[in-house]
Amino acid sequence: MVRDLGWNQVDTVYTHHDRILDFDVFVLVTNGRMQVVEGTTEYIIQEKEHLFLKKGLHHWGRPETLPGTSWFWVHFISPEYDSPSYKEHAPLAEIDFFYPDHYAYRFPMPKHGTSPFHRTLENKLQLLVEDFGKPTEHGMVQLSIQVYQLFLQLHKSMKEHSHSTRNSGKGETVAGRVMTFLMQHSDEDFDSEKLSNHLNLNYSYISATFKTQTGLSVIETHTKLRINKAMDWMRSTSLNVSEISEKLGYKNPYYFSRVFKKVIGESPSAYMSHFYKS
């Protein structure tokens, strides 16, 4: 939720304010460089770099920000979600059914740095500054949505930039290879030995690494992929529950129905009743 935002430029040596805020701050330096300390950690924000400052921490600086330095800033408030149901991993893109718990996750923003996206960030922020304060209906809501989208783009760009500037280690490739295998075998029962042989890795290592990177177990992901395929057939075909169960390799439709209800929260027939079919 945006509190305020703007642009600033200094003509003399600048010292960052000594303060503790009850809101978060986003800074993008567009020219020069800025020095700021958060708690006991010093940051030098170079041109086309950003920094997030977290609320409740002591922010201060020394007279080291160069004359001519300019920057955009956004002051915003992040709701506090202390619920243990909020996951630390984003949902897997391949599992695309959306229920309320799909959105119950949090993700960390990149604290400090730059990426190719930062080259266009200045223009995007300039447009937001021009819109800020205009007397339009729902203006601050629209502005907050735009800032949220901007932060999502920043998150994606920094993640992609990080992957492209360093070699992926063995562990980082496991989740992708597992997902490829599971998607190719979503119409059959899970076979840990088959997966282990395919990846030429110990299954205990595969299982632990996948869980760390995705927040889900391999078996849980395989089950959700199967149910996802079942849901797609329910939406787009005239197959009945028994036919779908058989196509997915379940031993009997009653077991399939139990699994479906456990994952989705309602029976296959109840789910199918939501769609308009001739």
Side-chain angles (χ1 to χ4, degrees), residues 27-258:
V27 176
L28 174 75
V29 171
T30 55
N31 189 58
R33 69 174 191 181
M34 176 185 289
Q35 185 270 353
V36 60
V37 180
E38 181 181 62
T40 59
T41 303
E42 180 182 33
Y43 295 94
I44 304 296
I45 321 172
Q46 304 286 356
E47 186 173 315
K48 298 296 187 295
E49 287 186 350
H50 79 271
L51 177 69
F52 282 96
L53 296 172
K54 191 170 180 61
K55 67 180 178 181
L57 298 180
H58 183 200
H59 305 138
W60 55 283
R62 295 186 291 270
E64 296 180 11
T65 295
L66 300 176
T69 296
S70 60
W71 65 94
F72 285 97
W73 47 268
V74 181
H75 296 163
F76 63 99
I77 298 169
S78 301
E80 295 291 345
Y81 293 116
D82 297 324
S83 171
S85 65
Y86 270 69
K87 306 177 186 69
E88 299 296 330
H89 295 83
L92 292 171
E94 295 82 358
I95 304 175
D96 62 357
F97 47 88
F98 304 105
Y99 279 74
D101 63 349
H102 177 95
Y103 300 93
Y105 71 95
R106 57 173 69 90
F107 58 93
M109 289 301 298
K111 178 73 176 175
H112 176 218
T114 189
S115 74
F117 176 68
H118 287 63
R119 292 194 290 267
T120 65
L121 196 50
E122 181 176 350
N123 290 335
K124 294 177 184 295
L125 286 167
Q126 181 61 47
L127 293 173
L128 293 179
V129 169
E130 292 173 5
D131 287 341
F132 176 63
K134 289 183 178 179
T136 57
E137 187 176 14
H138 311 304
M140 289 304 292
V141 175
Q142 293 179 14
L143 188 67
S144 295
I145 291 171
Q146 289 176 288
V147 170
Y148 193 91
Q149 291 175 324
L150 186 146
F151 285 171
L152 283 172
Q153 289 177 284
L154 175 64
H155 180 271
K156 179 181 178 181
S157 179
M158 289 290 288
K159 188 174 181 179
E160 292 174 347
H161 183 62
S162 175
H163 288 170
S164 66
T165 54
R166 58 185 169 84
N167 293 325
S168 293
K170 183 179 180 182
E172 294 178 29
T173 64
V174 168
R177 294 172 66 195
V178 170
M179 286 302 301
T180 299
F181 176 89
L182 294 180
M183 292 175 71
Q184 292 172 346
H185 298 273
S186 60
D187 56 353
E188 58 189 66
D189 289 337
F190 176 69
D191 188 332
S192 61
E193 185 176 353
K194 191 173 182 178
L195 173 62
S196 181
N197 291 337
H198 179 76
L199 269 61
N200 196 27
L201 293 170
N202 178 275
Y203 180 70
S204 295
Y205 170 78
I206 294 172
S207 179
T209 304
F210 187 85
K211 177 79 172 182
T212 299
Q213 294 181 3
T214 68
L216 295 173
S217 71
V218 175
I219 296 175
E220 183 181 5
T221 301
H222 179 256
T223 300
K224 289 191 173 185
L225 285 170
R226 297 178 88 183
I227 297 303
N228 186 59
K229 182 172 286 189
M231 293 165 68
D232 183 54
W233 286 335
M234 290 175 184
R235 291 191 297 262
S236 59
T237 74
S238 59
L239 294 172
N240 60 38
V241 174
S242 295
E243 291 168 331
I244 290 173
S245 173
E246 183 178 355
K247 283 175 67 70
L248 286 173
Y250 282 94
K251 294 179 175 61
N252 63 70
Y254 302 105
Y255 176 65
F256 163 71
S257 295
R258 288 201 301 272

Side-chain angles (χ1 to χ4, degrees), residues 16-30:
H16 192 278
H17 297 297
D18 189 332
R19 58 191 182 179
I20 297 176
L21 302 176
D22 60 355
F23 50 83
D24 298 302
V25 180
F26 171 79
V27 176
L28 174 75
V29 171
T30 55

